Amino acid sequence: MGVLNPTGYKKKRLNQNYNNSQIMQEDYSWCPSTVRNILKNDIYIGNVTQGKRRVKSYKVHKVEQVPEDEWITVENMHEPIVDKELFEKAQGMRKVDTRVQNSGNLSMWAGILRCSDCGRAMHKKYCKNKSGTVYEYYICGTYRKKSNKLCTKHTLKVEELEKAVLEAIKLHIELLVDTEKLLEQINKLDTKKLANENMENIKQAKEKEIEKLNNLKRCLYEDWKNGYITKEEYLEYKHKYEQDTEKIKEIISNLDKQKEKQEEMINGNSLWIENFKAHKNITELDRDITIELIDYIEVHENKRITIHFKFMNELNKILEYIEKEET
């Protein structure tokens, strides 16, 4: 793509006399580990993560790696370069097994197909029928690599797989279109309007409670200064008022999140909805579509498949919301 690697950038853009002896003398040749580090670095979505390394002790000055669950991350520290949805999509793709075959070509189903019984990845094979036609099929990795006593074949032709997945995607797109129509109808109902008004009324009432608690805290301070209550009583009641205030703020925050999710569902602003709508007139599959929409596919022994779409949790939430509104 003509993008300079870090060494090339320092030499050609910053005019530095820089040389890295560990890489080839090629300004546009990128090291795989560098690309990996870029893809997993959350600094590109505005986060700052610290505490990845530490000195072992004040006596032993050896630097050691810190486990990832002990890192300290602060979000939204600066303007992001990429959005969080794209970043999360990249993390999902990084977890997919994309080892290529001897041909050097990456299969459309690499890292997506699993045996429904043993959970192992399916392996791609080629076979020639009596007429000489070569066709592709998948077989359970356990059966092929380990033992036919540990699992069964679970064979499935690629042609049948592609046809079934394509039909499933089309059906889900139709389901989404119908779902969006239902959401639009619910959005026009008076019950929806009343629910929003009720939520707003609750929020305003809670905000008044916070204002009341703040007034009580001010009066409490004056009572202590005037000698009406002891310092211990002042601190005790102050602590209680602050706890009550935090609980109310949490309720208000949850109300805001609930309203935001509701509006997001109704207005169709979710990224996964847009992803599906973008493929409304789909006629054939490719690697990008399968990675974008599908988490993984289970292959059963009777050539039946179970597709686990990435959006199922979100769709279930919408369907529950519709059912609740309709009743």
Side-chain angles (χ1 to χ4, degrees):
M1 295 175 66
V3 178
L4 289 167
N5 60 29
T7 299
Y9 185 84
K10 290 173 183 176
K11 291 188 327 189
K12 293 193 173 183
R13 293 285 186 270
L14 303 180
N15 296 319
Q16 295 180 2
N17 186 18
Y18 182 84
N19 182 41
N20 188 341
S21 59
Q22 294 183 350
I23 67 171
M24 296 182 296
Q25 294 300 313
E26 171 57 54
D27 295 333
Y28 299 96
S29 176
W30 283 79
C31 179
S33 61
T34 301
V35 177
R36 262 196 310 272
N37 290 334
I38 289 174
L39 290 175
K40 68 182 182 181
N41 194 340
D42 61 354
I43 196 171
Y44 295 104
I45 57 172
N47 297 351
V48 172
T49 301
Q50 296 176 317
K52 296 182 179 181
R53 291 177 292 274
R54 64 190 170 202
V55 178
K56 195 164 187 178
S57 71
Y58 72 94
K59 290 183 179 180
V60 181
H61 296 283
K62 183 180 178 180
V63 177
E64 62 180 8
Q65 298 293 324
V66 177
E68 190 170 344
D69 57 357
E70 296 180 20
W71 294 355
I72 300 171
T73 300
V74 182
E75 298 181 353
N76 304 317
M77 288 292 288
H78 52 264
E79 190 73 23
I81 295 176
V82 297
D83 57 69
K84 289 184 179 180
E85 289 82 6
L86 180 59
F87 183 78
E88 291 303 325
K89 180 180 176 183
Q91 304 321 298
M93 292 178 71
R94 283 182 56 243
K95 295 176 184 177
V96 175
D97 185 351
T98 53
R99 287 174 292 181
V100 298
Q101 297 177 324
N102 295 333
S103 63
N105 297 321
L106 179 62
S107 167
M108 180 165 64
W109 307 105
I112 296 177
L113 297 181
R114 302 179 188 176
C115 172
S116 64
D117 291 326
C118 69
R120 190 177 174 90
M122 302 288 288
H123 286 203
K124 191 176 183 180
K125 295 281 288 179
Y126 295 89
C127 185
K128 185 183 292 186
N129 58 23
K130 294 181 180 180
S131 63
T133 304
V134 177
Y135 66 89
E136 304 170 11
Y137 70 96
Y138 278 92
I139 187 170
C140 171
T142 299
Y143 179 88
R144 183 190 173 207
K145 290 284 188 179
K146 294 189 176 182
S147 170
N148 58 6
K149 296 179 181 179
L150 296 176
C151 200
T152 52
K153 290 183 178 181
H154 293 75
T155 53
L156 180 66
K157 289 184 180 179
V158 171
E159 182 182 356
E160 296 172 348
L161 173 66
E162 291 180 0
K163 183 179 179 181
V165 173
L166 183 61
E167 289 302 315
I169 290 176
K170 288 180 178 180
L171 286 172
H172 278 78
I173 291 175
E174 291 177 8
L175 175 61
L176 277 178
V177 171
D178 293 338
T179 302
E180 282 193 307
K181 289 178 181 178
L182 282 172
L183 285 172
E184 288 175 2
Q185 293 174 4
I186 291 172
N187 195 27
K188 296 175 182 178
L189 295 175
D190 291 337
T191 53
K192 156 71 173 46
K193 184 179 179 182
L194 289 172
N196 281 342
E197 289 177 355
N198 187 45
M199 199 179 297
E200 190 62 32
N201 290 337
I202 294 173
K203 181 180 175 182
Q204 290 176 3
K206 293 299 178 183
E207 288 172 346
K208 287 181 179 179
E209 286 184 34
I210 291 178
E211 186 179 346
K212 183 179 178 180
L213 286 169
N214 288 334
N215 290 332
L216 287 172
K217 278 175 61 179
R218 283 192 290 269
C219 294
L220 190 67
Y221 179 78
E222 293 174 3
D223 288 345
W224 170 46
K225 284 299 181 181
N226 291 329
Y228 300 140
I229 59 174
T230 65
K231 183 178 180 180
E232 288 74 18
E233 289 174 325
Y234 165 72
L235 293 175
E236 181 183 348
Y237 282 110
K238 178 176 177 290
H239 179 66
K240 182 181 182 302
Y241 292 155
E242 287 174 346
Q243 280 186 323
D244 291 342
T245 300
E246 288 303 314
K247 288 179 182 178
I248 294 171
K249 285 182 178 179
E250 187 177 348
I251 292 173
I252 292 174
S253 176
N254 289 334
L255 285 171
D256 288 336
K257 289 178 182 178
Q258 184 179 343
K259 185 177 180 181
E260 185 179 338
K261 286 182 180 179
Q262 180 176 286
E263 290 177 350
E264 184 178 289
M265 285 192 298
I266 292 171
N267 297 328
N269 292 328
S270 296
L271 180 65
W272 61 271
I273 293 181
E274 297 303 321
N275 287 344
F276 262 82
K277 287 165 66 177
H279 304 299
K280 187 175 181 180
N281 299 317
I282 184 174
T283 56
E284 61 180 2
L285 296 174
D286 58 36
R287 174 75 180 177
D288 290 340
I289 293 175
T290 55
I291 286 293
E292 188 172 22
L293 304 181
I294 297 171
D295 191 6
Y296 64 95
I297 298 174
E298 291 180 294
V299 180
H300 302 269
E301 179 58 39
N302 56 4
K303 295 186 178 182
R304 186 172 58 87
I305 63 172
T306 301
I307 304 173
H308 295 263
F309 288 101
K310 290 184 176 179
F311 70 94
M312 287 309 299
N313 288 336
E314 288 82 356
L315 179 57
N316 288 334
K317 288 177 184 177
I318 287 182
L319 293 176
E320 288 175 6
Y321 172 79
I322 290 173
E323 184 179 354
K324 180 181 176 181
E325 289 294 324
E326 287 184 330
T327 54

